[in-house]
Amino acid sequence: MDGPALRIPRDVAAQLMAHARAELPNEACGLLSGSLQPPRVTAFHPAANRHRSPLRFDVDERDLVRFVMAIEQAGDQLAAIFHSHVSSPAVPSATDIREAMYPEAMHLLASLVEPDGAAADALRAWRIRDGRAVELPLEIT
Protein backbone atom coordinates (compact mmCIF):
# COMPACT_ATOMS: atom_id res chain seq x y z
CA MET A 1 0.00 0.00 0.00
CA ASP A 2 1.26 3.38 -0.99
CA GLY A 3 0.24 6.84 0.17
CA PRO A 4 -1.80 8.32 3.00
CA ALA A 5 -4.89 6.53 4.25
CA LEU A 6 -8.30 7.45 2.89
CA ARG A 7 -10.56 8.17 5.89
CA ILE A 8 -14.25 7.43 5.60
CA PRO A 9 -16.91 7.69 8.32
CA ARG A 10 -18.53 4.42 9.38
CA ASP A 11 -22.02 5.67 8.44
CA VAL A 12 -20.85 6.58 4.91
CA ALA A 13 -19.25 3.13 4.53
CA ALA A 14 -22.59 1.61 5.56
CA GLN A 15 -24.36 3.74 2.91
CA LEU A 16 -21.96 2.45 0.24
CA MET A 17 -22.62 -1.15 1.18
CA ALA A 18 -26.41 -0.63 1.33
CA HIS A 19 -26.37 0.97 -2.13
CA ALA A 20 -24.21 -1.86 -3.52
CA ARG A 21 -26.58 -4.50 -2.13
CA ALA A 22 -29.67 -2.64 -3.38
CA GLU A 23 -28.29 -2.59 -6.94
CA LEU A 24 -27.69 -6.35 -7.14
CA PRO A 25 -27.44 -8.15 -9.49
CA ASN A 26 -25.72 -5.14 -11.12
CA GLU A 27 -22.68 -3.15 -10.13
CA ALA A 28 -23.46 -0.03 -8.10
CA CYS A 29 -21.66 3.29 -8.39
CA GLY A 30 -21.49 6.80 -7.03
CA LEU A 31 -19.29 9.72 -6.06
CA LEU A 32 -17.74 10.58 -2.70
CA SER A 33 -17.10 14.15 -1.67
CA GLY A 34 -14.64 15.49 0.88
CA SER A 35 -11.01 16.49 0.50
CA LEU A 36 -7.96 15.17 -1.32
CA GLN A 37 -5.41 16.56 1.17
CA PRO A 38 -5.79 14.97 3.61
CA PRO A 39 -7.74 12.20 1.85
CA ARG A 40 -11.08 12.29 3.65
CA VAL A 41 -14.64 11.43 2.66
CA THR A 42 -17.56 13.37 4.12
CA ALA A 43 -20.55 12.35 1.94
CA PHE A 44 -21.74 9.72 -0.53
CA HIS A 45 -23.72 10.58 -3.66
CA PRO A 46 -25.30 7.35 -5.00
CA ALA A 47 -25.61 7.32 -8.78
CA ALA A 48 -27.27 5.21 -11.42
CA ASN A 49 -25.07 2.78 -13.35
CA ARG A 50 -25.59 3.73 -16.99
CA HIS A 51 -24.72 0.17 -18.08
CA ARG A 52 -27.08 -1.58 -15.62
CA SER A 53 -24.64 -4.48 -15.75
CA PRO A 54 -23.13 -7.00 -13.32
CA LEU A 55 -19.81 -6.62 -15.16
CA ARG A 56 -19.33 -2.87 -15.81
CA PHE A 57 -20.21 0.51 -14.45
CA ASP A 58 -20.40 4.04 -15.74
CA VAL A 59 -21.87 6.86 -13.66
CA ASP A 60 -24.99 8.19 -15.39
CA GLU A 61 -24.10 11.49 -17.11
CA ARG A 62 -26.94 13.45 -15.46
CA ASP A 63 -25.92 12.20 -12.00
CA LEU A 64 -22.27 13.00 -12.73
CA VAL A 65 -22.99 16.61 -13.71
CA ARG A 66 -25.46 17.16 -10.87
CA PHE A 67 -23.19 15.71 -8.18
CA VAL A 68 -19.97 17.36 -9.39
CA MET A 69 -21.74 20.74 -9.40
CA ALA A 70 -23.17 20.13 -5.92
CA ILE A 71 -19.75 19.06 -4.60
CA GLU A 72 -18.09 22.18 -6.00
CA GLN A 73 -20.87 24.46 -4.73
CA ALA A 74 -20.43 22.99 -1.23
CA GLY A 75 -16.73 23.88 -1.38
CA ASP A 76 -15.73 20.21 -1.33
CA GLN A 77 -13.69 18.10 -3.74
CA LEU A 78 -14.40 14.89 -5.60
CA ALA A 79 -12.54 12.64 -3.17
CA ALA A 80 -13.34 9.23 -4.64
CA ILE A 81 -15.32 7.31 -7.22
CA PHE A 82 -17.18 4.28 -5.88
CA HIS A 83 -18.32 1.09 -7.51
CA SER A 84 -19.01 -2.49 -6.53
CA HIS A 85 -17.89 -5.82 -7.87
CA VAL A 86 -20.69 -8.36 -7.74
CA SER A 87 -18.70 -11.58 -7.78
CA SER A 88 -15.03 -10.64 -7.57
CA PRO A 89 -12.66 -9.01 -5.07
CA ALA A 90 -12.54 -5.23 -4.57
CA VAL A 91 -9.59 -4.94 -6.94
CA PRO A 92 -9.75 -2.79 -10.10
CA SER A 93 -10.28 -4.85 -13.23
CA ALA A 94 -8.39 -4.20 -16.46
CA THR A 95 -11.51 -2.35 -17.69
CA ASP A 96 -11.66 -0.27 -14.49
CA ILE A 97 -8.03 0.75 -14.97
CA ARG A 98 -8.38 1.47 -18.69
CA GLU A 99 -11.55 3.56 -18.26
CA ALA A 100 -10.51 5.42 -15.09
CA MET A 101 -11.00 9.16 -15.25
CA TYR A 102 -10.28 11.89 -12.70
CA PRO A 103 -6.71 10.83 -11.77
CA GLU A 104 -6.70 12.99 -8.63
CA ALA A 105 -9.70 11.19 -7.13
CA MET A 106 -9.29 7.88 -5.38
CA HIS A 107 -11.34 4.82 -6.24
CA LEU A 108 -13.26 2.96 -3.58
CA LEU A 109 -14.39 -0.55 -4.49
CA ALA A 110 -16.73 -2.88 -2.64
CA SER A 111 -16.75 -6.64 -3.12
CA LEU A 112 -20.10 -8.41 -2.79
CA VAL A 113 -18.62 -11.89 -2.95
CA GLU A 114 -20.07 -12.16 0.57
CA PRO A 115 -23.12 -9.86 0.21
CA ASP A 116 -23.74 -9.64 3.95
CA GLY A 117 -20.09 -8.94 4.77
CA ALA A 118 -19.00 -5.98 6.85
CA ALA A 119 -17.80 -2.81 5.11
CA ALA A 120 -14.38 -3.13 6.75
CA ASP A 121 -13.90 -6.48 4.97
CA ALA A 122 -15.53 -5.54 1.66
CA LEU A 123 -14.11 -2.08 0.89
CA ARG A 124 -10.68 -1.26 -0.55
CA ALA A 125 -9.21 2.06 -1.71
CA TRP A 126 -7.11 2.56 -4.83
CA ARG A 127 -5.27 5.26 -6.76
CA ILE A 128 -5.60 4.64 -10.50
CA ARG A 129 -3.24 6.73 -12.57
CA ASP A 130 -1.26 6.23 -15.79
CA GLY A 131 -2.61 2.71 -16.32
CA ARG A 132 -1.61 1.53 -12.82
CA ALA A 133 -3.68 0.74 -9.75
CA VAL A 134 -1.99 1.17 -6.37
CA GLU A 135 -3.81 0.20 -3.20
CA LEU A 136 -4.12 2.84 -0.49
CA PRO A 137 -4.74 2.30 3.20
CA LEU A 138 -8.39 2.74 4.17
CA GLU A 139 -9.55 3.86 7.61
CA ILE A 140 -13.23 3.50 8.51
CA THR A 141 -13.78 5.74 11.52
mmCIF file of all heavy atoms in Angstrom, residues 20-61:
data_model
loop_
_atom_site.group_PDB
_atom_site.id
_atom_site.type_symbol
_atom_site.label_atom_id
_atom_site.label_comp_id
_atom_site.label_asym_id
_atom_site.label_seq_id
_atom_site.Cartn_x
_atom_site.Cartn_y
_atom_site.Cartn_z
ATOM 1 N N ALA A 20 -24.736 -0.745 -2.729
ATOM 2 C CA ALA A 20 -24.214 -1.863 -3.525
ATOM 3 C C ALA A 20 -25.158 -3.059 -3.459
ATOM 4 O O ALA A 20 -25.457 -3.680 -4.490
ATOM 5 C CB ALA A 20 -22.821 -2.248 -3.029
ATOM 6 N N ARG A 21 -25.652 -3.372 -2.276
ATOM 7 C CA ARG A 21 -26.581 -4.502 -2.133
ATOM 8 C C ARG A 21 -27.911 -4.233 -2.838
ATOM 9 O O ARG A 21 -28.492 -5.129 -3.442
ATOM 10 C CB ARG A 21 -26.803 -4.797 -0.654
ATOM 11 C CG ARG A 21 -25.587 -5.372 0.028
ATOM 12 C CD ARG A 21 -25.839 -5.657 1.511
ATOM 13 N NE ARG A 21 -24.603 -6.008 2.173
ATOM 14 C CZ ARG A 21 -24.021 -5.278 3.118
ATOM 15 N NH1 ARG A 21 -24.592 -4.153 3.552
ATOM 16 N NH2 ARG A 21 -22.891 -5.666 3.652
ATOM 17 N N ALA A 22 -28.391 -2.995 -2.762
ATOM 18 C CA ALA A 22 -29.672 -2.636 -3.382
ATOM 19 C C ALA A 22 -29.618 -2.743 -4.903
ATOM 20 O O ALA A 22 -30.640 -2.975 -5.542
ATOM 21 C CB ALA A 22 -30.085 -1.230 -2.965
ATOM 22 N N GLU A 23 -28.430 -2.565 -5.488
ATOM 23 C CA GLU A 23 -28.291 -2.588 -6.941
ATOM 24 C C GLU A 23 -28.068 -3.991 -7.505
ATOM 25 O O GLU A 23 -28.027 -4.151 -8.729
ATOM 26 C CB GLU A 23 -27.161 -1.660 -7.377
ATOM 27 C CG GLU A 23 -27.456 -0.190 -7.138
ATOM 28 C CD GLU A 23 -28.666 0.310 -7.909
ATOM 29 O OE1 GLU A 23 -28.741 0.065 -9.138
ATOM 30 O OE2 GLU A 23 -29.540 0.935 -7.283
ATOM 31 N N LEU A 24 -27.878 -4.984 -6.640
ATOM 32 C CA LEU A 24 -27.695 -6.345 -7.139
ATOM 33 C C LEU A 24 -28.861 -6.725 -8.047
ATOM 34 O O LEU A 24 -29.987 -6.326 -7.787
ATOM 35 C CB LEU A 24 -27.601 -7.330 -5.967
ATOM 36 C CG LEU A 24 -26.280 -7.332 -5.211
ATOM 37 C CD1 LEU A 24 -26.386 -8.153 -3.941
ATOM 38 C CD2 LEU A 24 -25.154 -7.861 -6.093
ATOM 39 N N PRO A 25 -28.652 -7.425 -9.132
ATOM 40 C CA PRO A 25 -27.441 -8.153 -9.493
ATOM 41 C C PRO A 25 -26.408 -7.310 -10.246
ATOM 42 O O PRO A 25 -25.410 -7.843 -10.710
ATOM 43 C CB PRO A 25 -27.963 -9.262 -10.397
ATOM 44 C CG PRO A 25 -29.104 -8.604 -11.118
ATOM 45 C CD PRO A 25 -29.735 -7.688 -10.088
ATOM 46 N N ASN A 26 -26.635 -5.997 -10.361
ATOM 47 C CA ASN A 26 -25.723 -5.141 -11.121
ATOM 48 C C ASN A 26 -24.707 -4.451 -10.224
ATOM 49 O O ASN A 26 -24.906 -4.350 -9.012
ATOM 50 C CB ASN A 26 -26.525 -4.085 -11.881
ATOM 51 C CG ASN A 26 -27.435 -4.710 -12.904
ATOM 52 O OD1 ASN A 26 -27.072 -5.684 -13.553
ATOM 53 N ND2 ASN A 26 -28.631 -4.173 -13.040
ATOM 54 N N GLU A 27 -23.647 -3.958 -10.846
ATOM 55 C CA GLU A 27 -22.676 -3.145 -10.125
ATOM 56 C C GLU A 27 -23.329 -1.822 -9.747
ATOM 57 O O GLU A 27 -24.131 -1.271 -10.510
ATOM 58 C CB GLU A 27 -21.429 -2.882 -10.983
ATOM 59 C CG GLU A 27 -20.560 -4.092 -11.177
ATOM 60 C CD GLU A 27 -19.209 -3.787 -11.809
ATOM 61 O OE1 GLU A 27 -18.923 -2.610 -12.127
ATOM 62 O OE2 GLU A 27 -18.425 -4.735 -11.981
ATOM 63 N N ALA A 28 -22.994 -1.331 -8.578
ATOM 64 C CA ALA A 28 -23.455 -0.028 -8.101
ATOM 65 C C ALA A 28 -22.333 0.976 -8.280
ATOM 66 O O ALA A 28 -21.164 0.596 -8.403
ATOM 67 C CB ALA A 28 -23.836 -0.121 -6.628
ATOM 68 N N CYS A 29 -22.690 2.269 -8.266
ATOM 69 C CA CYS A 29 -21.659 3.295 -8.388
ATOM 70 C C CYS A 29 -22.120 4.592 -7.745
ATOM 71 O O CYS A 29 -23.299 4.758 -7.414
ATOM 72 C CB CYS A 29 -21.269 3.521 -9.847
ATOM 73 S SG CYS A 29 -22.607 4.075 -10.920
ATOM 74 N N GLY A 30 -21.185 5.500 -7.591
ATOM 75 C CA GLY A 30 -21.489 6.803 -7.027
ATOM 76 C C GLY A 30 -20.224 7.611 -6.831
ATOM 77 O O GLY A 30 -19.118 7.155 -7.144
ATOM 78 N N LEU A 31 -20.404 8.816 -6.309
ATOM 79 C CA LEU A 31 -19.287 9.718 -6.057
ATOM 80 C C LEU A 31 -19.196 9.991 -4.560
ATOM 81 O O LEU A 31 -20.208 9.986 -3.861
ATOM 82 C CB LEU A 31 -19.475 11.034 -6.801
ATOM 83 C CG LEU A 31 -19.673 10.943 -8.316
ATOM 84 C CD1 LEU A 31 -19.859 12.331 -8.908
ATOM 85 C CD2 LEU A 31 -18.522 10.219 -8.980
ATOM 86 N N LEU A 32 -17.972 10.245 -4.102
ATOM 87 C CA LEU A 32 -17.736 10.585 -2.704
ATOM 88 C C LEU A 32 -17.089 11.956 -2.638
ATOM 89 O O LEU A 32 -16.114 12.222 -3.341
ATOM 90 C CB LEU A 32 -16.827 9.538 -2.056
ATOM 91 C CG LEU A 32 -17.509 8.167 -1.976
ATOM 92 C CD1 LEU A 32 -16.543 7.059 -2.255
ATOM 93 C CD2 LEU A 32 -18.166 8.005 -0.637
ATOM 94 N N SER A 33 -17.661 12.812 -1.819
ATOM 95 C CA SER A 33 -17.097 14.149 -1.671
ATOM 96 C C SER A 33 -16.337 14.256 -0.366
ATOM 97 O O SER A 33 -16.532 13.458 0.554
ATOM 98 C CB SER A 33 -18.195 15.210 -1.753
ATOM 99 O OG SER A 33 -19.185 14.998 -0.778
ATOM 100 N N GLY A 34 -15.469 15.259 -0.303
ATOM 101 C CA GLY A 34 -14.644 15.493 0.877
ATOM 102 C C GLY A 34 -13.431 16.293 0.482
ATOM 103 O O GLY A 34 -13.548 17.321 -0.180
ATOM 104 N N SER A 35 -12.248 15.789 0.852
ATOM 105 C CA SER A 35 -11.009 16.490 0.500
ATOM 106 C C SER A 35 -9.968 15.492 0.011
ATOM 107 O O SER A 35 -10.001 14.320 0.377
ATOM 108 C CB SER A 35 -10.471 17.271 1.701
ATOM 109 O OG SER A 35 -10.023 16.398 2.704
ATOM 110 N N LEU A 36 -9.059 16.001 -0.811
ATOM 111 C CA LEU A 36 -7.960 15.171 -1.316
ATOM 112 C C LEU A 36 -6.744 15.245 -0.410
ATOM 113 O O LEU A 36 -5.966 14.307 -0.328
ATOM 114 C CB LEU A 36 -7.593 15.605 -2.738
ATOM 115 C CG LEU A 36 -8.686 15.372 -3.782
ATOM 116 C CD1 LEU A 36 -8.326 16.063 -5.088
ATOM 117 C CD2 LEU A 36 -8.891 13.879 -3.988
ATOM 118 N N GLN A 37 -6.550 16.370 0.266
ATOM 119 C CA GLN A 37 -5.412 16.562 1.173
ATOM 120 C C GLN A 37 -5.908 17.154 2.477
ATOM 121 O O GLN A 37 -6.259 18.333 2.492
ATOM 122 C CB GLN A 37 -4.361 17.478 0.537
ATOM 123 C CG GLN A 37 -3.672 16.870 -0.646
ATOM 124 C CD GLN A 37 -2.892 15.613 -0.312
ATOM 125 O OE1 GLN A 37 -2.357 15.467 0.787
ATOM 126 N NE2 GLN A 37 -2.831 14.689 -1.242
ATOM 127 N N PRO A 38 -6.023 16.404 3.533
ATOM 128 C CA PRO A 38 -5.789 14.967 3.609
ATOM 129 C C PRO A 38 -6.937 14.207 2.951
ATOM 130 O O PRO A 38 -8.053 14.731 2.863
ATOM 131 C CB PRO A 38 -5.742 14.702 5.110
ATOM 132 C CG PRO A 38 -6.631 15.745 5.699
ATOM 133 C CD PRO A 38 -6.468 16.955 4.819
ATOM 134 N N PRO A 39 -6.689 12.969 2.507
ATOM 135 C CA PRO A 39 -7.741 12.196 1.850
ATOM 136 C C PRO A 39 -8.845 11.825 2.854
ATOM 137 O O PRO A 39 -8.634 11.027 3.755
ATOM 138 C CB PRO A 39 -7.025 10.954 1.329
ATOM 139 C CG PRO A 39 -5.585 11.112 1.637
ATOM 140 C CD PRO A 39 -5.417 12.285 2.530
ATOM 141 N N ARG A 40 -9.999 12.457 2.676
ATOM 142 C CA ARG A 40 -11.077 12.293 3.648
ATOM 143 C C ARG A 40 -12.410 12.378 2.925
ATOM 144 O O ARG A 40 -12.644 13.274 2.121
ATOM 145 C CB ARG A 40 -10.963 13.408 4.683
ATOM 146 C CG ARG A 40 -12.031 13.487 5.699
ATOM 147 C CD ARG A 40 -11.762 14.642 6.672
ATOM 148 N NE ARG A 40 -11.531 15.920 6.028
ATOM 149 C CZ ARG A 40 -12.498 16.763 5.650
ATOM 150 N NH1 ARG A 40 -13.751 16.470 5.831
ATOM 151 N NH2 ARG A 40 -12.198 17.916 5.083
ATOM 152 N N VAL A 41 -13.300 11.455 3.228
ATOM 153 C CA VAL A 41 -14.645 11.435 2.660
ATOM 154 C C VAL A 41 -15.610 11.995 3.686
ATOM 155 O O VAL A 41 -15.521 11.671 4.870
ATOM 156 C CB VAL A 41 -15.054 9.992 2.278
ATOM 157 C CG1 VAL A 41 -16.536 9.899 1.979
ATOM 158 C CG2 VAL A 41 -14.226 9.496 1.097
ATOM 159 N N THR A 42 -16.541 12.835 3.223
ATOM 160 C CA THR A 42 -17.565 13.366 4.123
ATOM 161 C C THR A 42 -18.974 12.981 3.697
ATOM 162 O O THR A 42 -19.877 12.960 4.528
ATOM 163 C CB THR A 42 -17.478 14.901 4.227
ATOM 164 O OG1 THR A 42 -17.547 15.465 2.919
ATOM 165 C CG2 THR A 42 -16.174 15.320 4.907
ATOM 166 N N ALA A 43 -19.191 12.677 2.399
ATOM 167 C CA ALA A 43 -20.547 12.351 1.940
ATOM 168 C C ALA A 43 -20.507 11.426 0.726
ATOM 169 O O ALA A 43 -19.570 11.461 -0.078
ATOM 170 C CB ALA A 43 -21.308 13.623 1.588
ATOM 171 N N PHE A 44 -21.560 10.628 0.602
ATOM 172 C CA PHE A 44 -21.739 9.719 -0.527
ATOM 173 C C PHE A 44 -22.903 10.204 -1.379
ATOM 174 O O PHE A 44 -23.953 10.575 -0.857
ATOM 175 C CB PHE A 44 -22.016 8.300 -0.020
ATOM 176 C CG PHE A 44 -22.359 7.306 -1.099
ATOM 177 C CD1 PHE A 44 -21.562 7.160 -2.218
ATOM 178 C CD2 PHE A 44 -23.479 6.499 -0.987
ATOM 179 C CE1 PHE A 44 -21.868 6.246 -3.213
ATOM 180 C CE2 PHE A 44 -23.790 5.573 -1.963
ATOM 181 C CZ PHE A 44 -22.989 5.444 -3.080
ATOM 182 N N HIS A 45 -22.702 10.175 -2.691
ATOM 183 C CA HIS A 45 -23.717 10.583 -3.656
ATOM 184 C C HIS A 45 -24.005 9.374 -4.552
ATOM 185 O O HIS A 45 -23.299 9.151 -5.536
ATOM 186 C CB HIS A 45 -23.216 11.767 -4.496
ATOM 187 C CG HIS A 45 -22.685 12.890 -3.656
ATOM 188 N ND1 HIS A 45 -23.476 13.909 -3.189
ATOM 189 C CD2 HIS A 45 -21.431 13.135 -3.183
ATOM 190 C CE1 HIS A 45 -22.744 14.748 -2.477
ATOM 191 N NE2 HIS A 45 -21.504 14.296 -2.456
ATOM 192 N N PRO A 46 -25.015 8.548 -4.198
ATOM 193 C CA PRO A 46 -25.302 7.347 -4.997
ATOM 194 C C PRO A 46 -25.794 7.713 -6.389
ATOM 195 O O PRO A 46 -26.616 8.611 -6.547
ATOM 196 C CB PRO A 46 -26.388 6.634 -4.189
ATOM 197 C CG PRO A 46 -26.975 7.660 -3.288
ATOM 198 C CD PRO A 46 -25.940 8.719 -3.087
ATOM 199 N N ALA A 47 -25.273 7.030 -7.382
ATOM 200 C CA ALA A 47 -25.606 7.321 -8.776
ATOM 201 C C ALA A 47 -26.159 6.082 -9.459
ATOM 202 O O ALA A 47 -25.974 4.956 -8.989
ATOM 203 C CB ALA A 47 -24.354 7.815 -9.511
ATOM 204 N N ALA A 48 -26.793 6.314 -10.589
ATOM 205 C CA ALA A 48 -27.265 5.208 -11.424
ATOM 206 C C ALA A 48 -26.094 4.703 -12.267
ATOM 207 O O ALA A 48 -25.260 5.480 -12.725
ATOM 208 C CB ALA A 48 -28.390 5.690 -12.332
ATOM 209 N N ASN A 49 -26.054 3.397 -12.462
ATOM 210 C CA ASN A 49 -25.074 2.784 -13.347
ATOM 211 C C ASN A 49 -25.665 2.797 -14.753
ATOM 212 O O ASN A 49 -26.636 2.090 -15.030
ATOM 213 C CB ASN A 49 -24.770 1.350 -12.894
ATOM 214 C CG ASN A 49 -23.798 0.632 -13.817
ATOM 215 O OD1 ASN A 49 -23.414 1.137 -14.867
ATOM 216 N ND2 ASN A 49 -23.413 -0.567 -13.425
ATOM 217 N N ARG A 50 -25.089 3.593 -15.619
ATOM 218 C CA ARG A 50 -25.590 3.729 -16.992
ATOM 219 C C ARG A 50 -25.660 2.384 -17.708
ATOM 220 O O ARG A 50 -26.556 2.147 -18.513
ATOM 221 C CB ARG A 50 -24.708 4.709 -17.764
ATOM 222 C CG ARG A 50 -25.219 5.023 -19.164
ATOM 223 C CD ARG A 50 -24.350 6.073 -19.838
ATOM 224 N NE ARG A 50 -23.017 5.599 -20.137
ATOM 225 C CZ ARG A 50 -22.677 4.910 -21.227
ATOM 226 N NH1 ARG A 50 -23.590 4.602 -22.116
ATOM 227 N NH2 ARG A 50 -21.436 4.539 -21.418
ATOM 228 N N HIS A 51 -24.751 1.467 -17.398
ATOM 229 C CA HIS A 51 -24.719 0.166 -18.076
ATOM 230 C C HIS A 51 -25.735 -0.825 -17.504
ATOM 231 O O HIS A 51 -26.055 -1.808 -18.167
ATOM 232 C CB HIS A 51 -23.317 -0.458 -18.000
ATOM 233 C CG HIS A 51 -22.294 0.258 -18.804
ATOM 234 N ND1 HIS A 51 -22.402 0.470 -20.153
ATOM 235 C CD2 HIS A 51 -21.124 0.833 -18.436
ATOM 236 C CE1 HIS A 51 -21.350 1.126 -20.588
ATOM 237 N NE2 HIS A 51 -20.558 1.360 -19.567
ATOM 238 N N ARG A 52 -26.168 -0.616 -16.272
ATOM 239 C CA ARG A 52 -27.076 -1.577 -15.616
ATOM 240 C C ARG A 52 -26.578 -3.007 -15.863
ATOM 241 O O ARG A 52 -27.277 -3.844 -16.405
ATOM 242 C CB ARG A 52 -28.502 -1.415 -16.125
ATOM 243 C CG ARG A 52 -29.133 -0.122 -15.694
ATOM 244 C CD ARG A 52 -30.538 0.035 -16.252
ATOM 245 N NE ARG A 52 -31.148 1.268 -15.837
ATOM 246 C CZ ARG A 52 -30.952 2.451 -16.415
ATOM 247 N NH1 ARG A 52 -30.133 2.559 -17.432
ATOM 248 N NH2 ARG A 52 -31.561 3.521 -15.967
ATOM 249 N N SER A 53 -25.345 -3.244 -15.433
ATOM 250 C CA SER A 53 -24.643 -4.485 -15.747
ATOM 251 C C SER A 53 -23.963 -5.049 -14.506
ATOM 252 O O SER A 53 -23.478 -4.296 -13.670
ATOM 253 C CB SER A 53 -23.576 -4.205 -16.803
ATOM 254 O OG SER A 53 -22.667 -5.274 -16.923
ATOM 255 N N PRO A 54 -23.896 -6.386 -14.409
ATOM 256 C CA PRO A 54 -23.134 -6.996 -13.316
ATOM 257 C C PRO A 54 -21.633 -7.011 -13.597
ATOM 258 O O PRO A 54 -20.850 -7.427 -12.738
ATOM 259 C CB PRO A 54 -23.692 -8.417 -13.245
ATOM 260 C CG PRO A 54 -24.211 -8.696 -14.607
ATOM 261 C CD PRO A 54 -24.660 -7.371 -15.171
ATOM 262 N N LEU A 55 -21.217 -6.538 -14.772
ATOM 263 C CA LEU A 55 -19.810 -6.621 -15.165
ATOM 264 C C LEU A 55 -19.134 -5.274 -15.375
ATOM 265 O O LEU A 55 -17.908 -5.211 -15.433
ATOM 266 C CB LEU A 55 -19.682 -7.436 -16.460
ATOM 267 C CG LEU A 55 -20.236 -8.856 -16.396
ATOM 268 C CD1 LEU A 55 -20.197 -9.505 -17.769
ATOM 269 C CD2 LEU A 55 -19.493 -9.673 -15.365
ATOM 270 N N ARG A 56 -19.912 -4.189 -15.516
ATOM 271 C CA ARG A 56 -19.331 -2.874 -15.809
ATOM 272 C C ARG A 56 -20.139 -1.790 -15.129
ATOM 273 O O ARG A 56 -21.310 -1.970 -14.833
ATOM 274 C CB ARG A 56 -19.360 -2.576 -17.308
ATOM 275 C CG ARG A 56 -18.477 -3.460 -18.121
ATOM 276 C CD ARG A 56 -18.447 -3.020 -19.544
ATOM 277 N NE ARG A 56 -17.796 -1.709 -19.626
ATOM 278 C CZ ARG A 56 -17.735 -0.998 -20.721
ATOM 279 N NH1 ARG A 56 -18.294 -1.428 -21.820
ATOM 280 N NH2 ARG A 56 -17.123 0.163 -20.739
ATOM 281 N N PHE A 57 -19.489 -0.649 -14.962
ATOM 282 C CA PHE A 57 -20.208 0.508 -14.449
ATOM 283 C C PHE A 57 -19.787 1.751 -15.210
ATOM 284 O O PHE A 57 -18.700 1.832 -15.758
ATOM 285 C CB PHE A 57 -19.948 0.704 -12.942
ATOM 286 C CG PHE A 57 -18.738 1.548 -12.648
ATOM 287 C CD1 PHE A 57 -18.868 2.899 -12.353
ATOM 288 C CD2 PHE A 57 -17.463 1.005 -12.704
ATOM 289 C CE1 PHE A 57 -17.756 3.685 -12.100
ATOM 290 C CE2 PHE A 57 -16.342 1.782 -12.452
ATOM 291 C CZ PHE A 57 -16.492 3.126 -12.146
ATOM 292 N N ASP A 58 -20.681 2.710 -15.234
ATOM 293 C CA ASP A 58 -20.399 4.043 -15.737
ATOM 294 C C ASP A 58 -21.429 4.947 -15.067
ATOM 295 O O ASP A 58 -22.637 4.704 -15.187
ATOM 296 C CB ASP A 58 -20.539 4.103 -17.262
ATOM 297 C CG ASP A 58 -20.056 5.415 -17.853
ATOM 298 O OD1 ASP A 58 -19.351 6.173 -17.154
ATOM 299 O OD2 ASP A 58 -20.390 5.696 -19.028
ATOM 300 N N VAL A 59 -20.965 5.945 -14.348
ATOM 301 C CA VAL A 59 -21.873 6.856 -13.655
ATOM 302 C C VAL A 59 -22.739 7.568 -14.688
ATOM 303 O O VAL A 59 -22.217 8.132 -15.662
ATOM 304 C CB VAL A 59 -21.084 7.873 -12.800
ATOM 305 C CG1 VAL A 59 -22.012 8.917 -12.196
ATOM 306 C CG2 VAL A 59 -20.296 7.157 -11.704
ATOM 307 N N ASP A 60 -24.052 7.518 -14.508
ATOM 308 C CA ASP A 60 -24.987 8.192 -15.392
ATOM 309 C C ASP A 60 -24.576 9.655 -15.568
ATOM 310 O O ASP A 60 -24.241 10.334 -14.583
ATOM 311 C CB ASP A 60 -26.394 8.099 -14.795
ATOM 312 C CG ASP A 60 -27.415 8.823 -15.632
ATOM 313 O OD1 ASP A 60 -27.889 8.231 -16.610
ATOM 314 O OD2 ASP A 60 -27.724 9.999 -15.306
ATOM 315 N N GLU A 61 -24.587 10.144 -16.808
ATOM 316 C CA GLU A 61 -24.099 11.491 -17.111
ATOM 317 C C GLU A 61 -24.841 12.569 -16.325
ATOM 318 O O GLU A 61 -24.242 13.534 -15.859
ATOM 319 C CB GLU A 61 -24.229 11.813 -18.613
ATOM 320 C CG GLU A 61 -23.471 10.876 -19.516
ATOM 321 C CD GLU A 61 -24.329 9.687 -19.954
ATOM 322 O OE1 GLU A 61 -25.540 9.622 -19.634
ATOM 323 O OE2 GLU A 61 -23.768 8.791 -20.598
#
